[in-house]
Amino acid sequence: MRSEVLSTIPAKDRSIGWVDRGIAAGLALAYLGVLLATLDIGYTRDESFYFRFGQVYQEWFSALRSDIREREWGRNLRREPVRRTWSQNFEHPPLMKTLFGASWWLLAEKVRPVTALSMTGEEAATVTVRRLGVSEGFHEGARVELMPPTPLASGAGGEIEGEAPPFDPSPPTLFGQVTARRAESAVVKVRAPESELRSYERACGEARRAPQHHMRGCMAREQRRAAVMKEGSATRFPALLFAAVVIAFIYLFGVRLANRWVGVFAALAYAAIPRAFFHAHMAAFDVPVVAVILVTLYAFWLSQWSYKWAVLTGVIWGVSLLTKHNSFFAPIFLVFYWALVHRRDFALWAPKRAPGAGAKALGAALGVMCAVTVTFAALGFFWVGLVIGALAAVVLLGWRVRLPALPAAFIWMPIIGLPMLFLLWPQLWFDSIASFRTYVDFHVRHEHYMQYYFGDVLEVPPFPMAFPFVMTLLTVPVLTLAAFTWGGALTWGGPLRRLAGLIGKWRGSDAPCDETDAEALYRRRVRAFLGINIMMPILLIALPNTPIFGGVKHWLPAMPFFALVAGVGFDDLRRRVVAAFALPRGRAVVMGGLLAVALLLPAVRETVRVHPFGTSYYNSLAGSFQGAADLRLHRQFWGYASRAALPRLNREAAPRARIFFQNTTRDAFEMYHRDGDLRGDLRHAWGVEQADYAIFHHQKSFAELEARIWREFGTVAPEWQVTLEGVPLISVYKRAR
């Protein structure tokens, strides 16, 4: 009898036409639109570093452009300027930080403070734009808009007691042109009626005298058509594009491996996983590496039947290596897949030897294997040395090995991908081996940050191997889990029954009697491909010594395939319902849509409900947010929740108050200023001792800090809290006077 999954998974790869490409593009654009509309998430610690280094890298590119204009072709390609720039944040490859910086340079509105107007005539004045970097524009000849102060009510959402009355008449917006550009400033010449110049300067003076009534004082903005976003949003934009690529390729994979129903459901199911949705907004590497690994795997899948795609697999893997170090594991996963699918084609023969000769040959082979392994280990490549040493031992022993045909992609991935990493990462241009070892060592010896797991403080390995499995169970919406469970039973149920039959518990077969060898091989490939790419990323994190501080984001590359299996479960349910009611084609489509909505709507609702605090999401199996707090699970990380405290700080903080932002970095603080989300006069405090206000993030690893705040501020009662359905996320303390 034909198993149910065979009606969903075809006997061969389905082709992709223009309709499917259009649907994939439509899903990706819709997801991109949703992400752009929900960028009100605070800036995380990691993002803030990439904000800074993206701009540092962009300054290097600005210097290259200057070299080209001045015909000094190699000035900034020499060792010193390259190392000075690219050794910063060496622990991650350059692609995403370069894209973050490029997007910021091209798309961001640069709004910078100005000095007082200096009158140079009856209808002319100059003003200096301050706090400029090399790559921040305002070059000679640029048109500049001089913005009057922004009243607090406009930026903080609501009137405040004692707010300054509106300017009468309202101060004008002035326009000028940059006449001189210095390293950190620009001089702007302004022409306007003297009355407007005087009115503008009076407004600027009022903002300087009473900054608590203004989100910003007088500011300058370069007029550029491409500048359409705030600086933080522009920096995040490339990551949003990569997130949209994930949605498109989940759909394309679903169509190739099954049908459109599976593709659409899988894409939407992934999009509605709250934690994946949260990470899709971040100017970080976690979702971009999901995208490039997914595209690499898509290319590899097609390379099994197309040499062109084998070459493209190498190119795409090179892009993946330039994104994040996770990508080094992709070929390992693919080797496991190849070995599993073709396991019956492996064979090994040992030659006959005279008595005693075998032991000598084995000893010599083991000696060579150890020498090769130790040599590579000294260079920092133990596992590479072990594999090469083992192969050398097999050759020396004269053993004959029969291997199945090697996929062409396995040849092209190292030939193309590894040179791309070294050629396109300037950090590796000089002292290449030492620089690469430093990069690898950073991740091999990565420090461990605390996780709070059912009341246990996990800070030092070994960590519980169940951690990633339990966290997946508790952070994926329940109906998506149910669809995955049913899809998994359909996809792997037959092989598992056959395995059980081998040990006498169950007998059966995963292939129907009328299935050809080609059909059986194809379906075996699908099952193995899905299984390997779901399990291997999770198993890597399950290893006892693997850092677990990032939670679910570290095995996000598994989730597109998780969603595809959920799509298989949904499609089987859809088929059963349509068959049970004998629905005609039109009504069957409507019924399928209604079933998809019924399964996905709760996940969408959960995603909306937890936004913008995505790392706090737990499903109903954990008792939702409150249940997770009762279970003493990790509530949040990365320091982004402080953004929710800004509106009230803007309204209530005294002029030029100092704020201790605790787990929010100084770079994130500066970006809030630049984006106009934080009042311009509020200052950053490095410690509790210098602060007038302290923001405390409720995270187990910071428990002692809260006691310090109590002692220093003379109070144990926060001025207010930011909560998620009653669960405190941050507490804001005000110094007792």
Side-chain angles (χ1 to χ4, degrees):
M1 180 178 174
R2 184 173 292 269
S3 61
E4 290 296 334
V5 72
L6 299 184
S7 62
T8 293
I9 297 178
K12 63 179 182 179
D13 220 36
R14 295 186 189 272
S15 61
I16 297 292
W18 286 108
V19 172
D20 290 311
R21 293 188 184 99
I23 294 173
L27 289 168
L29 289 173
Y31 189 59
L32 178 62
V34 172
L35 294 177
L36 286 169
T38 52
L39 279 172
D40 54 335
I41 300 173
Y43 298 133
T44 64
R45 289 181 60 82
D46 286 17
E47 280 188 294
S48 67
F49 302 139
Y50 308 144
F51 290 163
R52 186 201 322 162
F53 294 117
Q55 294 173 26
V56 168
Y57 295 175
Q58 194 54 224
E59 290 181 0
W60 184 77
F61 285 107
S62 295
L64 287 185
R65 290 190 289 270
S66 296
D67 291 349
I68 292 171
R69 286 194 299 269
E70 298 168 13
R71 300 185 181 277
E72 293 283 348
W73 307 107
R75 183 167 54 191
N76 279 283
L77 296 175
R78 299 188 183 110
R79 180 189 185 93
E80 180 55 33
V82 167
R83 297 288 290 179
R84 184 173 57 247
T85 298
W86 296 95
S87 62
Q88 300 186 59
N89 200 235
F90 67 89
E91 58 265 32
H92 292 295
L95 177 62
M96 293 313 301
K97 287 172 288 184
T98 301
L99 292 178
F100 296 153
S103 180
W104 165 83
W105 174 75
L106 179 65
L107 300 177
E109 267 189 349
K110 313 298 192 307
V111 179
R112 297 293 181 267
V114 296
T115 60
L117 284 175
S118 175
M119 302 296 292
T120 59
E122 291 184 358
E123 295 187 350
T126 60
V127 66
T128 300
V129 184
R130 301 182 294 120
R131 300 181 191 172
L132 290 178
V134 173
S135 57
E136 295 185 21
F138 291 89
H139 299 296
E140 284 190 34
R143 291 282 297 168
V144 175
E145 176 186 356
L146 297 178
M147 305 160 60
T150 306
L152 182 59
S154 300
E159 300 290 330
I160 63 169
E161 184 177 351
E163 185 176 1
F167 297 111
D168 189 21
S170 297
T173 297
L174 303 179
F175 296 90
Q177 191 169 21
V178 176
T179 58
R181 180 65 157 90
R182 305 187 182 101
E184 297 180 354
S185 63
V187 177
V188 178
K189 186 173 183 179
V190 185
R191 290 192 176 277
E194 184 176 0
S195 60
E196 291 188 4
L197 295 174
R198 300 292 184 189
S199 175
Y200 183 86
E201 182 53 35
R202 281 196 301 272
C204 296
E206 175 61 30
R208 288 190 289 270
R209 286 189 295 273
Q212 71 274 24
H213 296 306
H214 304 86
M215 283 299 294
R216 288 169 163 165
C218 289
M219 310 292 283
R221 176 171 59 196
E222 184 181 4
Q223 292 184 301
R224 293 187 303 113
R225 290 183 179 179
V228 293
M229 295 181 177
K230 292 182 177 182
E231 293 188 54
S233 299
T235 309
R236 283 175 164 177
F237 186 65
L240 272 58
L241 293 176
F242 277 79
V245 168
V246 173
I247 299 301
F249 275 85
I250 290 175
Y251 171 78
L252 293 175
F253 245 133
V255 173
R256 284 204 174 272
L257 301 184
N259 57 50
R260 287 173 183 164
W261 285 105
V262 172
V264 170
F265 184 88
L268 296 178
Y270 175 88
I273 296 174
R275 293 210 182 195
F277 182 75
F278 171 87
H279 288 292
H281 295 79
M282 300 294 102
F285 314 130
D286 303 298
V287 170
V289 82
V290 173
V292 289
I293 288 177
L294 182 62
V295 178
T296 300
L297 296 174
Y298 183 85
F300 175 84
W301 180 261
L302 295 181
S303 76
Q304 296 175 105
W305 303 280
S306 168
Y307 193 79
K308 175 187 71 175
W309 280 99
V311 177
L312 286 174
T313 302
V315 175
I316 299 166
W317 187 58
V319 175
S320 185
L321 291 176
L322 289 162
T323 303
K324 196 179 181 186
H325 67 280
N326 307 44
S327 304
F328 281 103
F329 295 105
I332 299 173
F333 299 167
L334 293 175
V335 168
F336 275 108
Y337 159 75
W338 168 69
L340 182 60
V341 169
H342 300 286
R343 59 191 179 276
R344 297 186 183 94
D345 299 327
F346 286 89
L348 180 67
W349 297 276
K352 292 182 178 180
R353 299 181 185 275
K360 292 180 181 178
L362 181 61
L366 289 175
V368 169
M369 178 177 171
C370 290
V372 172
T373 303
V374 169
T375 301
F376 274 86
L379 297 173
F381 308 112
F382 170 78
W383 291 106
V384 174
L386 183 62
V387 171
I388 294 176
L391 293 174
V394 168
V395 172
L396 287 174
L397 286 169
W399 289 353
R400 295 175 60 191
V401 180
R402 187 184 76 194
L403 299 175
L406 198 69
F410 285 178
I411 307 300
W412 288 109
M413 288 175 79
I415 288 177
I416 297 177
L418 291 175
M420 283 179 63
L421 178 66
F422 281 82
L423 290 173
L424 299 179
W425 190 357
Q427 169 69 4
L428 303 182
W429 290 354
F430 305 96
D431 303 322
S432 302
I433 299 300
S435 297
F436 186 72
R437 281 186 58 190
T438 302
Y439 165 53
V440 173
D441 286 346
F442 175 86
H443 294 286
V444 171
R445 297 176 173 83
H446 201 295
E447 63 181 306
H448 298 278
Y449 305 129
M450 181 189 293
Q451 274 281 335
Y452 200 39
Y453 182 66
F454 294 105
D456 293 330
V457 174
L458 305 181
E459 196 168 15
V460 179
F463 301 117
M465 294 186 68
F467 175 81
F469 299 98
V470 172
M471 288 298 292
T472 300
L473 183 68
L474 299 181
T475 59
V476 175
V478 171
L479 290 181
T480 305
L481 283 173
F484 169 80
T485 303
W486 183 240
L490 295 169
T491 304
W492 300 295
L496 291 176
R497 286 195 300 273
R498 186 173 66 178
L499 179 63
L502 293 176
I503 58 175
K505 293 183 178 179
W506 207 338
R507 295 196 178 276
S509 173
D510 62 319
C513 59
D514 62 341
E515 189 173 34
T516 67
D517 289 343
E519 291 172 339
L521 176 60
Y522 180 81
R523 292 193 173 101
R524 190 161 71 243
R525 280 176 166 165
V526 172
R527 293 180 180 115
F529 198 78
L530 292 173
I532 290 290
N533 287 298
I534 290 171
M535 290 303 298
M536 292 303 291
I538 298 177
L539 286 173
L540 275 177
I541 306 301
L543 296 175
N545 291 316
T546 302
I548 60 173
F549 55 82
V552 300
K553 75 186 184 77
H554 283 170
W555 60 89
L556 271 180
M559 299 315 291
F561 299 96
F562 186 100
L564 284 167
V565 175
V568 170
F570 157 75
D571 190 53
D572 182 75
L573 173 64
R574 180 191 66 83
R575 289 172 184 271
R576 290 174 182 271
V577 171
V578 169
F581 290 95
L583 296 175
R585 181 178 178 83
R587 293 184 180 181
V589 172
V590 173
M591 177 58 73
L594 291 175
L595 284 174
V597 169
L599 289 174
L600 293 172
L601 191 59
V604 172
R605 179 179 175 276
E606 290 293 282
T607 303
V608 172
R609 184 176 160 212
V610 76
H611 184 79
F613 307 113
T615 62
S616 299
Y617 175 74
Y618 290 91
N619 63 26
S620 57
L621 296 179
S624 195
F625 321 128
Q626 295 180 350
D630 293 339
L631 291 173
R632 293 182 292 175
L633 290 166
H634 211 65
R635 193 173 303 178
Q636 61 173 323
F637 62 94
W638 266 356
Y640 67 92
S642 57
R643 179 170 185 164
L646 301 187
R648 187 163 173 180
L649 277 173
N650 290 334
R651 292 193 301 269
E652 297 184 5
R656 301 177 181 86
R658 291 186 177 272
I659 317 294
F660 175 61
F661 275 82
Q662 196 235 328
N663 201 32
T664 301
T665 66
R666 176 64 182 264
D667 290 312
F669 169 87
E670 292 295 340
M671 190 60 82
Y672 288 137
H673 266 316
R674 289 184 174 193
D675 283 351
D677 294 322
L678 181 63
R679 220 173 70 201
D681 66 302
L682 297 181
R683 297 177 292 171
H684 183 274
W686 287 107
V688 176
E689 296 77 13
Q690 299 86 34
D692 301 302
Y693 288 85
I695 296 176
F696 174 76
H697 293 77
H698 286 269
Q699 204 171 317
K700 181 65 174 178
S701 51
F702 303 138
E704 293 182 3
L705 177 60
E706 189 171 31
R708 245 180 74 205
I709 295 173
W710 293 345
R711 290 193 299 270
E712 179 66 29
F713 277 35
T715 179
V716 297
E719 191 76 2
W720 76 87
Q721 290 183 318
V722 174
T723 64
L724 181 61
E725 297 188 3
V727 177
L729 296 179
I730 61 174
S731 294
V732 181
Y733 289 88
K734 182 179 179 180
R735 183 180 292 276
R737 297 296 183 186

